[in-house]
Amino acid sequence: MREPTFLVLTALADGPLHGYGVIQEVSALSQGETVLGAGTLYGALDRLAERGLVAVDREEAVDGRLRRYYRLTDDGAAALAAEVARLRRNASAAEARLRRRPGPAFGATSGATA
């Protein structure tokens, strides 16, 4: 699962959001590292809806414009949970290897960046 998809599903895990709300939550979850444009978001939401991972929750008119809210489906929650488990396994494997690595202790900062 690509990171933007993971973040969109995570944003919807708390409850239904409209598109702009999803954009804000993804930015907050990623600490500003992932910024979705409206076109990218709605394309992703359409693909996720086709796969049954999200669904339209409701629509409402606000200031003469239609606002569509999306929600995470049960299949979407299962896919998100599976991805969380996969990421945990990978992070644990990386952590174990870093602990065995000769040199500075795991968690020490050397000032180097990736």
Side-chain angles (χ1 to χ4, degrees), residues 8-105:
V8 167
L9 295 178
T10 301
L12 294 171
D14 276 343
L17 291 170
H18 54 78
Y20 185 66
V22 173
I23 289 171
Q24 289 179 309
E25 283 297 307
V26 164
S27 180
L29 287 165
S30 68
Q31 298 177 351
E33 290 184 16
T34 300
V35 178
L36 297 176
T40 301
L41 172 67
Y42 288 109
L45 288 170
D46 287 344
R47 285 188 299 280
L48 292 170
E50 287 173 10
R51 293 175 48 200
L53 303 180
V54 302
V56 173
D57 186 69
R58 67 186 185 278
E59 295 177 338
E60 64 185 22
V62 176
D63 296 327
R65 297 183 65 177
L66 187 63
R67 182 177 285 174
R68 183 173 290 162
Y69 287 77
Y70 295 86
R71 65 176 171 77
L72 189 65
T73 64
D74 290 344
D75 286 347
L80 181 58
E83 184 66 4
V84 167
R86 186 187 74 80
L87 291 170
R88 274 199 185 115
R89 285 190 308 273
N90 289 346
S92 292
E95 183 179 42
R97 287 175 183 235
L98 283 169
R99 288 188 188 284
R100 292 192 305 261
R101 181 178 180 274

